[in-house]
Amino acid sequence: MNKPQTGPKGRPDFLLLVMTLVLVGFGLVMVFSASSNIAVIDKRYNFDALYFTKRQIVWVGLGTVIMLVLMNIRYQFFKKGFILYFIPVLILLALVPFIGSERYGAKSWLGYGSLGIQPTEFAKLALILYLGRLITKKGEKFRDFKRGLLPVMIVVGFICGLIMLQPDMGSAIIVAACAAVVIIAGGSNLRQVFFSGVVVSTVVAVIISLAYALDPDPWEYRINRFISFMDPFHDPLGSSYQLVNSLYALGHGGFLGVGLGHGIQKLHYLPLAYNDFIFAVIGEEFGFLGGALFLLFYLAFLWRGLIVALRCPDIYGTIIGVGIIGLFAIQAIINIGGVIGAIPVTGVTLPFISYGGSSMLVTLASMGVLLSISREANKPAQSKPSRFDRQQTTREQPAPYRGGYFQ
């Protein structure tokens, strides 16, 4: 077993912290731009142009506090401490189908009135922490299918099954894809992962086909979304309404955009412009150039986070770090891909940018863990283990510490 880490903590990665704050700040600006014109004329929002912005500021403030707290906790604590977070999240996930409230076609919320949380969002980070611990604990056994990959797949399948009971296919896909990233980062046999993915995909397709044959009504909405993806203008006033207006917004923005706050499609044309389709507002108001610069900055942020994860001297830190960055990347690809019509719309948020309390809390909490990992790599030289200590630690560590794909 590894000895507990001692000595002074290193500094958090300053560049990653600044980039995080820049993304969050830009997200607040875009939430205000996308929501103010709607809120100011709606009685439900007290005719307050800052209704959504003020609520988002509260979530950002709470999330920032959580990020700073977790940043000052050694990430090794989560090797065992994850259970304090994982078990309550599982309980909430199990309760959602029975006592949850339905919004936007899925029973994904726990709460009352306009206040609520989405346990699915918290399950994403919980699964990353759990898989990181499970993989490092199994050691060389993880490369064995029956003792390694199969138990992990059962846990992931169970969580995805709970999410599908809501039903929330978009989040289930994100959780499964994020788990795949963690599994690969942990040094799993790629051939086993590939064939397992094929088998699981086939089984899921068969189950969905049978479910649709027995009761097609619950699946009509998703089928219509897929048809809209294939032909966005087949039903511009019905199932394709969001996508068509999203494409209108991007087209109206042109190369340089119409200017911050001057977008048209957010004015009751594009539903949830401040949430799932906020990238369409960015594209309309800042144009192709502004959207491209935003994506380049987002890519630089992801790259910096990946570097931080890879620099961690402990494979556990690397695995959960890569998992967190993988979560951000997957969710951003699915969100932006749906907005531009590259993939079917799934209704997921854009991390750091979209309006949403649960999403923001989990996103900033994840950044707190990642910044804690960065402090390990940035320890003062005198507190780092000597060459003899590193050799001794290497002898004591099980095989996966030598077998991870990022080591």
Side-chain angles (χ1 to χ4, degrees), residues 155-209:
V155 173
V156 175
F158 176 71
I159 293 178
C160 288
L162 290 177
I163 295 174
M164 282 302 298
L165 290 176
Q166 299 175 10
D168 187 354
M169 183 175 291
S171 294
I173 292 173
I174 290 173
V175 168
C178 184
V181 170
V182 174
I183 289 170
I184 293 172
S188 179
N189 186 307
L190 291 180
R191 183 177 297 178
Q192 293 178 1
V193 174
F194 174 77
F195 284 110
S196 299
V198 172
V199 172
V200 170
S201 300
T202 303
V203 171
V204 170
V206 171
I207 293 174
I208 291 176
S209 299

Side-chain angles (χ1 to χ4, degrees), residues 88-115:
V89 168
L90 275 185
I91 295 173
L92 292 177
L93 273 180
L95 291 175
V96 166
F98 303 100
I99 63 174
S101 57
E102 184 172 340
R103 302 182 189 179
Y104 314 118
K107 190 179 288 187
S108 306
W109 297 79
L110 285 177
Y112 178 78
S114 61
L115 297 177

Side-chain angles (χ1 to χ4, degrees), residues 122-142:
F122 296 90
K124 297 171 183 176
L125 177 59
L127 183 62
I128 291 172
L129 297 176
Y130 174 73
L131 291 183
R133 169 58 177 164
L134 186 63
I135 291 171
T136 53
K137 184 178 180 180
K138 283 185 174 295
E140 189 65 26
K141 295 178 182 178
F142 184 58

Side-chain angles (χ1 to χ4, degrees), residues 343-356:
I343 60 177
V345 175
T346 54
V348 299
T349 57
L350 180 58
F352 301 100
I353 310 298
S354 295
Y355 172 82

